[in-house]
Amino acid sequence: MSKVYESLKGTLQRSKTNSMAPARVKGSDASSLDNEMEQLEKIVVDRVGRLRAAVKEGEAVVASENQHAEQVIESLRTEIAAQEAQLNAAREKELASQRMEQTLTVKIRDLQSDVKKKEEALESRAKEINDLKSKIDVLAKQITQLETAIQQAKAETGSEAKRVQQLAENSSAKIATLEAELRDREEIVRAKESTLKGLEQNLTAKIQDLESQVKNKEKLLADQDRRVNDLNSQLETLTNGIKGMSSFFKQAEALTAVEAQGDGTVVPGQPLKGEIEKPANSQFKSAEVTSNPAGAAQEAVSPGFFDTVTKELADINGPLASMIISDHVTALGESIEKFPKTRVTELVKVLSKEITDETLKIGFRKRIAEKL
């Protein structure tokens, strides 16, 4: 009888150990563990009541059935241990992904607190199991008085075997559930890794685009610097030309005035008697004819002419006036330093096309004619 008691006691201890291990692996099975503990308690009570009338003749049968149950439980233990190893590996992968996602730290803390609560609940259940053990000890003492009930135990061993099979099926179902959860978590980890790779590719493309934009901006700045340097050199050249030509024009004006007084010709800037005032567009030609002596068709304009034109155009089109004038002079096949007087009218007409407002365009032509 003591062997039956020890076999029953060992079976209950192994059932406790095996039921607590998966519960600690996953806290969501705590409720099912409660139900199993209650069922286990009912089974123990029913089994003890049945064994009261079946101990003497069924001792050998019960021992063999218990050995079979122990073998089944041991096999389940090994399977659960393997599943625990897989769960540990999956947990390590999950922890690695959680380190990369700092936004989930709050949820992890909440889950950890829930796990602690579940563990405390399991500890309380363990205490209840210890109490049940003490009750089983009391019942085991009563088993010695139930040797006359072996026949009934033989009839009930079949039902016990069926219950063991049911426990094995339930354990296999739990194992399948754990395997499905492992597969789901692995798929989630793969999805997160692919998302991270996509983000890295997008960031790399954006960085390359920004680098190309920066290079283009640098090229534009370099072109602007070159243009500014060219304009500065042109301005310096014009300034030097103005200084060199000022004395020449003073002498030419004095000589022209003396010749006009001696020959009776028209002095520049004085209209003829009875002459009708011409429109602004015709003032270019009259100014060109009266201000240039014989053979002036091949002469170049003074450096101050382009300063005046640049100032007038800058008042209308802004600081890009000097660049516009330089481009049009180049398009005419001439240079600012040696621009012929015969093409001044053509240049003014081309520059006036850059002015969209008709009133400003007419005023620009008129002022240039007055300067000439």
Side-chain angles (χ1 to χ4, degrees):
M1 302 305 292
S2 61
K3 292 181 180 180
V4 175
Y5 168 69
E6 291 297 330
S7 175
L8 179 60
K9 186 175 180 181
T11 302
L12 292 174
Q13 288 177 351
R14 284 189 294 272
S15 299
K16 171 197 169 185
T17 304
N18 294 330
S19 62
M20 288 175 68
R24 289 181 180 175
V25 172
K26 186 175 182 181
S28 63
D29 294 335
S31 60
S32 63
L33 179 62
D34 295 338
N35 295 328
E36 290 178 1
M37 293 304 301
E38 291 176 1
Q39 292 177 2
L40 182 61
E41 185 177 359
K42 291 178 181 179
I43 291 168
V44 170
V45 173
D46 293 335
R47 186 171 181 180
V48 170
R50 292 167 184 170
L51 287 176
R52 288 179 181 177
V55 173
K56 284 184 180 181
E57 295 179 359
E59 184 175 1
V61 176
V62 170
S64 63
E65 292 296 332
N66 286 332
Q67 288 177 358
H68 178 68
E70 286 177 359
Q71 291 175 358
V72 173
I73 291 169
E74 285 296 330
S75 63
L76 291 175
R77 247 171 106 187
T78 56
E79 290 180 359
I80 290 170
Q83 293 299 323
E84 285 179 353
Q86 293 180 358
L87 282 173
N88 290 329
R91 195 172 289 140
E92 290 177 358
K93 291 181 181 178
E94 188 176 1
L95 288 173
S97 64
Q98 286 174 353
R99 290 191 191 99
M100 297 173 64
E101 299 177 358
Q102 296 179 356
T103 56
L104 298 178
T105 53
V106 177
K107 293 183 180 180
I108 292 171
R109 290 174 184 172
D110 295 336
L111 291 173
Q112 288 177 349
S113 62
D114 292 335
V115 170
K116 288 180 180 179
K117 291 179 181 178
K118 298 297 182 181
E119 288 179 354
E120 292 175 357
L122 289 174
E123 290 177 358
S124 64
R125 292 299 180 186
K127 292 179 181 179
E128 292 178 359
I129 290 171
N130 291 328
D131 295 335
L132 289 174
K133 281 184 179 181
S134 62
K135 292 180 181 179
I136 289 170
D137 292 334
V138 174
L139 293 173
K141 293 178 181 179
Q142 296 177 1
I143 289 174
T144 57
Q145 300 174 2
L146 302 175
E147 297 177 352
T148 58
I150 294 174
Q151 295 297 328
Q152 295 179 359
K154 289 180 180 179
E156 292 174 357
T157 52
S159 63
E160 291 294 331
K162 290 181 180 179
R163 288 176 184 175
V164 170
Q165 289 179 356
Q166 289 178 357
L167 288 173
E169 291 176 356
N170 292 331
S171 299
S172 61
K174 290 179 180 179
I175 290 168
T177 303
L178 291 172
E179 289 177 350
E181 290 180 357
L182 284 173
R183 287 193 295 270
D184 294 337
R185 290 184 180 180
E186 288 177 354
E187 290 177 358
I188 291 169
V189 170
R190 292 195 195 96
K192 290 180 179 178
E193 289 177 353
S194 63
T195 303
L196 290 174
K197 288 181 181 178
L199 290 173
E200 289 178 357
Q201 292 176 357
N202 291 332
L203 290 174
T204 304
K206 289 182 180 178
I207 289 169
Q208 292 176 354
D209 189 13
L210 290 173
E211 288 177 351
S212 64
Q213 290 180 6
V214 169
K215 290 180 180 178
N216 293 331
K217 295 293 183 182
E218 289 177 352
K219 289 181 181 178
L220 291 175
L221 288 174
D223 294 337
Q224 292 294 335
D225 291 337
R226 285 195 295 271
R227 286 193 174 185
V228 170
N229 292 329
D230 292 340
L231 291 174
N232 288 330
S233 63
Q234 291 176 8
L235 180 62
E236 187 176 355
T237 303
L238 290 174
T239 304
N240 295 329
I242 289 170
K243 291 179 180 179
M245 296 295 292
S246 59
S247 60
F248 171 77
F249 279 107
K250 287 180 181 179
Q251 293 176 2
E253 288 176 359
L255 181 61
T256 304
V258 171
E259 289 178 355
Q261 291 176 359
D263 297 337
T265 57
V266 179
V267 179
Q270 295 181 356
L272 295 173
K273 292 181 180 180
E275 184 181 1
I276 300 172
E277 195 173 316
K278 296 180 180 180
N281 291 334
S282 64
Q283 290 180 6
F284 296 109
K285 295 181 180 179
S286 62
E288 185 177 351
V289 172
T290 58
S291 61
N292 293 329
Q298 302 298 327
E299 293 181 1
V301 297
S302 64
F305 169 75
F306 281 103
D307 291 340
T308 302
V309 175
T310 302
K311 181 179 180 303
E312 293 293 338
L313 188 61
D315 292 339
I316 299 172
N317 287 355
L320 297 177
S322 60
M323 294 176 62
I324 295 171
I325 293 171
S326 178
D327 293 339
H328 284 298
V329 169
T330 304
L332 291 173
E334 304 291 345
S335 64
I336 293 175
E337 292 80 7
K338 295 181 181 181
F339 192 82
K341 293 181 179 180
T342 55
R343 305 195 70 180
V344 170
T345 304
E346 184 179 358
L347 177 63
V348 173
K349 287 182 180 179
V350 174
L351 292 176
S352 62
K353 292 180 181 179
E354 299 290 337
I355 304 170
T356 57
D357 188 87
E358 291 296 330
T359 303
L360 296 175
K361 185 184 295 185
I362 294 171
F364 171 74
R365 291 178 176 177
K366 186 175 180 180
R367 287 192 296 274
I368 298 299
E370 290 174 354
K371 297 293 182 182
L372 289 174

